[in-house]
Amino acid sequence: MLVPFIIGVSGHRDIDNTTIEMLRVRIKEILKNFQIKYPHLPVKLLTPLAEGADRIAAKVALELNIELVVPLPMPYDEYVKDFSSVKSKVEFDELLSRTAHHFELWEVYHASEKMDWGIKENRDLCYLQVGLYIAKHSQVLIALWDGQESEAIGGTSSIVKYKLNGIEDEKITSEDSLSQIESGPVYHVLTPRKVNTNIGNNIFSLNIYYPPFWKETSKADLFYKKIFESMNMLNKDILNSKELIVNEKLQFDSNLSWIYNNTDNFGKLLCKHLLATDFLAQKYKLYRTLALKLLLSSGVLSFISFHLYLSLFPQVFILALNPILLGIGSIIYLLAHKKGYEIKHEDYRSLSEALRVQIFWNLYRTNENVSYYFLRKHKGELEWIKYALRNWTLAEFSKPSSIKEESKDKRHINNFLLKYWVEDQRDWYFTQTNTNQRKHKNLKYIANYLFSAGVIFAIFLIAFELFRNQLFPSIEAKFIIHIFVLLIGLSFICATAIHGYNEKMIFPEQAKQYDRMYNLFDFVSEKIKNLIRTDNFSNLDNIFIELGKESLIENSDWLLIHRSRPLEMPKS
């Protein structure tokens, strides 16, 4: 249920036995530090359990109750041939038996039958592949390395370079060539090896390196701290929400129940993640909307109290209401900002919608991972969402997942996806388009009417001032004037507040975006019906994948639009 924090490890195989204990101490310090800093993030160590540094780190991790995730660079029977002794193989088997997951990489899984394992270059490429996997799927890489540059394929030096400089995603096409290349920090422990013990006086010193585009280390440190804290906060919110399915108290809707009951364990986990994040998104949406309404209301009420004091009721307690109400508004703003109500609503909603796509992709038995397509062109603190998606699906894409045998009828799956994904989403977008258009229209009309009312009151006041002596000689003019001034100000301030609410809720922008997605899903729905009717299932693969990608793009756009309209103190 919780998002794990993935730490990769890469290091030399020929570690000097006299240095192992000091190396263990340094590794333990690093791992323990992450556990203390982010107590709600369960750390997992990503390592192929190669001889030497990998296994030293793995043993330390197990002592700290850290799970091991082991991607194998090649099939087990081939991998163990590279170990130096029978004792080494026994050690490997013992560690492998204590792992949370171990798997052959997807690329190796498909190439193993045709691979000539007697060729050294083939084996080296497999080690490179596993090193790239670790660099790409870890938030932090621990490098137990002597610091010497090397051209060895799949060596620690090359893996460090990939982690710092990024790995070009093989899924990036020419149309998507502006996608950001992923990279991350490296925790380098200066480690001597048997063939190179002369590496200076700072043996076992720790240096933290960041990708080279960071010009200031302090900014890089703050950036990654924010990302890791966001992941930690999600887990904290999940743990603090007793209503969540951690206690199996929330119920799935009908279509999610069918998926949950007919999918594999990975699909079940995805359903639980979706339910949890969607629940939290709705929860913080209510908090954010309430905070915005209270914030605007405090501004309006403070304005009214001040004008009442100036005109009708010049008592001290009326004047005191003005700073009190402004203070209440400030407290609401600071509380909402500190608790991250709007940011959490936006982030968790995006996370849940991405998981929805992953669930349907998983049901269709495609090996696509949503984390590769979400916010591709964005490089910023929102990257934590991609990390969460990828960490939740870690080790699950080594081979295609599938639903239970009795549900594998292709037509049945296609019809299910048509009804409960395509048509359900189409209807949802249609409803949301109309709802957002109606809300925007109603709020706009109310704001315009109030503004017009303010203008009318101003005209009446002018007329009253011009003709009061002729038409109303006996009426107390001062009281009437104060009433008109109050009504004019109240009309304008309420119109401004409603306009501000309309702007912050982004109703018109959402209506346009949802309308575009409604038209897309409606078009795709008719296309899928025609393909199913003619049993032309082969063309459906690309349609479902492309539809998921479009949903992820819309999801990313929605998130960035909302981030552009943060909660603010009233300025009018």
Side-chain angles (χ1 to χ4, degrees):
M1 176 62 71
L2 300 181
V3 176
F5 184 74
I6 309 300
I7 298 178
V9 64
S10 181
H12 300 303
R13 298 186 185 190
D14 57 334
I15 300 294
D16 187 344
N17 291 336
T18 61
T19 65
I20 289 178
E21 192 54 41
M22 283 298 297
L23 203 56
R24 281 173 46 84
V25 170
R26 182 59 79 189
I27 296 169
K28 190 170 186 177
E29 286 176 358
I30 296 171
L31 296 177
K32 193 69 178 174
N33 183 52
F34 280 109
Q35 288 181 317
I36 294 171
K37 275 187 176 180
Y38 311 107
H40 303 292
L41 274 179
V43 176
K44 291 186 178 183
L45 190 71
L46 190 60
T47 169
L49 294 179
E51 292 177 318
D54 280 17
R55 296 186 191 177
I56 295 171
K59 291 175 183 178
V60 173
L62 290 172
E63 291 173 8
L64 296 173
N65 296 316
I66 292 173
E67 290 187 354
L68 303 181
V69 178
V70 178
L72 299 176
M74 58 192 73
Y76 172 87
D77 290 340
E78 289 296 330
Y79 189 28
V80 296
K81 291 178 182 178
D82 287 345
F83 299 158
S84 59
S85 64
V86 174
K87 182 180 178 182
S88 175
K89 180 182 178 300
V90 171
E91 180 185 51
F92 173 78
D93 289 339
E94 194 273 331
L95 288 172
L96 197 65
S97 68
R98 300 174 66 184
T99 61
H101 303 282
H102 62 272
F103 52 92
E104 291 175 37
L105 296 185
W106 173 259
E107 294 82 356
V108 176
Y109 181 81
H110 281 281
S112 59
E113 291 184 2
K114 303 175 184 178
M115 185 78 74
D116 185 346
W117 295 108
I119 300 175
K120 181 180 183 301
E121 287 76 11
N122 288 343
R123 303 179 80 87
D124 288 344
L125 286 174
C126 287
Y127 284 116
L128 174 62
Q129 198 68 245
V130 80
L132 293 177
Y133 182 90
I134 291 170
K136 184 171 185 176
H137 290 82
S138 58
Q139 280 70 73
V140 170
L141 177 70
I142 298 176
L144 308 175
W145 174 45
D146 63 3
Q148 303 299 309
E149 298 288 343
S150 170
E151 299 299 323
I153 297 176
T156 302
S157 175
S158 63
I159 305 309
V160 169
K161 288 179 184 176
Y162 284 121
K163 185 62 182 175
L164 291 175
N165 298 318
I167 303 167
E168 186 79 42
D169 197 327
E170 69 278 0
K171 295 180 181 292
I172 293 177
T173 63
S174 58
E175 292 81 10
D176 202 20
S177 58
L178 296 180
S179 296
Q180 294 284 352
I181 298 176
E182 293 187 34
S183 54
V186 172
Y187 281 58
H188 173 212
V189 179
L190 190 60
T191 306
R193 53 193 303 191
K194 290 179 180 178
V195 297
N196 182 23
T197 57
N198 187 23
I199 56 174
N201 298 322
N202 296 320
I203 296 178
F204 307 118
S205 62
L206 174 64
N207 291 292
I208 303 175
Y209 302 121
Y210 294 104
F213 58 79
W214 288 106
K215 304 304 180 185
E216 297 180 31
T217 301
S218 58
K219 289 184 178 180
D221 186 64
L222 182 62
F223 171 79
Y224 288 106
K225 182 180 178 182
K226 284 183 177 179
I227 286 181
F228 302 155
E229 284 179 346
S230 295
M231 297 167 65
N232 186 66
M233 183 56 67
L234 170 61
N235 286 346
K236 184 178 180 181
D237 285 337
I238 290 174
L239 292 171
N240 289 341
S241 297
K242 296 179 181 179
E243 306 93 330
L244 287 178
I245 54 173
V246 174
N247 299 317
E248 301 293 338
K249 289 185 178 180
L250 289 186
Q251 298 297 316
F252 294 104
D253 57 30
S254 57
N255 58 331
L256 211 57
S257 292
W258 188 93
I259 296 173
Y260 185 83
N261 292 325
N262 290 275
T263 191
D264 55 14
N265 290 332
F266 177 46
K268 286 179 169 59
L269 282 174
L270 290 174
C271 289
K272 290 184 178 182
H273 296 328
L274 170 60
L275 208 57
T277 51
D278 186 62
F279 171 83
L280 291 173
Q282 295 301 322
K283 172 182 174 180
Y284 285 107
K285 179 182 179 181
L286 291 175
Y287 288 174
R288 189 250 187 190
T289 304
L290 178 61
L292 178 59
K293 290 178 178 179
L294 290 174
L295 191 59
L296 294 172
S297 298
S298 67
V300 171
L301 292 174
S302 66
F303 171 86
I304 294 172
S305 68
F306 188 67
H307 275 266
L308 285 174
Y309 169 78
L310 289 177
S311 55
L312 301 176
F313 305 104
Q315 282 86 16
V316 175
F317 81 90
I318 298 293
L319 178 62
L321 286 175
N322 180 264
I324 290 173
L325 289 166
L326 287 176
I328 291 173
S330 300
I331 292 171
I332 292 170
Y333 170 75
L334 292 172
L335 181 64
H337 183 72
K338 182 179 179 180
K339 297 289 186 179
Y341 290 158
E342 64 175 334
I343 290 177
K344 287 182 178 181
H345 157 57
E346 295 157 4
D347 290 2
Y348 296 167
R349 190 264 193 186
S350 293
L351 194 53
S352 68
E353 291 305 311
L355 285 166
R356 190 183 306 278
V357 173
Q358 188 68 75
I359 286 171
F360 287 114
W361 274 356
N362 181 65
L363 186 66
Y364 197 68
R365 301 190 300 278
T366 176
N367 203 50
E368 298 290 348
N369 190 322
V370 294
S371 68
Y372 296 145
Y373 302 103
F374 184 74
L375 286 172
R376 270 193 146 177
K377 297 179 177 67
H378 176 82
K379 191 76 174 176
E381 61 187 44
L382 294 175
E383 283 189 81
W384 82 265
I385 301 176
K386 288 194 288 188
Y387 289 159
L389 290 168
R390 188 164 300 174
N391 292 359
W392 264 334
T393 58
L394 186 72
E396 299 297 343
F397 286 96
S398 56
K399 55 184 179 180
S401 55
S402 60
I403 59 176
K404 290 181 180 178
E405 292 294 328
E406 63 267 19
S407 302
K408 281 190 175 180
D409 177 66
K410 195 76 171 177
R411 178 180 290 275
H412 182 63
I413 296 173
N414 290 331
N415 280 315
F416 182 86
L417 291 175
L418 172 64
K419 178 175 176 56
Y420 290 108
W421 182 17
V422 181
E423 293 183 341
D424 265 12
Q425 282 293 96
R426 178 200 62 190
D427 295 342
W428 185 87
Y429 282 124
F430 180 78
T431 302
Q432 290 300 313
T433 298
N434 292 333
T435 300
N436 280 269
Q437 286 176 341
R438 185 180 69 253
K439 287 181 177 179
H440 170 61
K441 183 178 179 180
N442 291 342
L443 290 171
K444 185 178 178 180
Y445 281 163
I446 293 172
N448 288 341
Y449 287 149
L450 286 169
F451 184 84
S452 300
V455 173
I456 292 171
F457 286 137
I459 292 171
F460 273 116
L461 178 59
I462 293 171
F464 178 78
E465 286 284 13
L466 290 174
F467 302 109
R468 67 176 179 175
N469 291 331
Q470 294 91 330
L471 300 177
F472 313 104
S474 61
I475 293 180
E476 175 60 44
K478 187 177 181 181
F479 179 77
I480 299 296
I481 292 170
H482 285 324
I483 292 295
F484 272 119
V485 170
L486 180 61
L487 290 174
I488 292 168
L490 186 59
S491 298
F492 288 147
I493 195 68
C494 287
T496 302
I498 290 171
H499 174 76
Y501 178 76
N502 198 10
E503 183 184 18
K504 294 298 181 186
M505 296 303 291
I506 321 182
F507 292 129
E509 291 87 349
Q510 287 188 151
K512 291 177 183 178
Q513 193 165 335
Y514 292 151
D515 185 53
R516 179 180 70 82
M517 293 303 293
Y518 162 72
N519 289 321
L520 173 65
F521 273 78
D522 188 49
F523 167 74
V524 171
S525 173
E526 294 303 317
K527 192 168 186 176
I528 292 175
K529 286 178 184 177
N530 291 332
L531 292 173
I532 292 177
R533 195 179 299 118
T534 58
D535 290 335
N536 189 0
F537 296 150
S538 59
N539 289 333
L540 286 174
D541 293 0
N542 189 55
I543 289 177
F544 283 128
I545 291 172
E546 289 303 314
L547 189 63
K549 292 179 184 178
E550 283 297 320
S551 297
L552 293 171
I553 291 172
E554 183 273 329
N555 189 8
S556 302
D557 291 343
W558 180 94
L559 176 58
L560 295 176
I561 289 173
H562 274 263
R563 278 296 173 88
S564 68
R565 307 283 179 86
L567 278 178
E568 296 174 310
M569 287 291 293
K571 295 182 174 64
S572 299

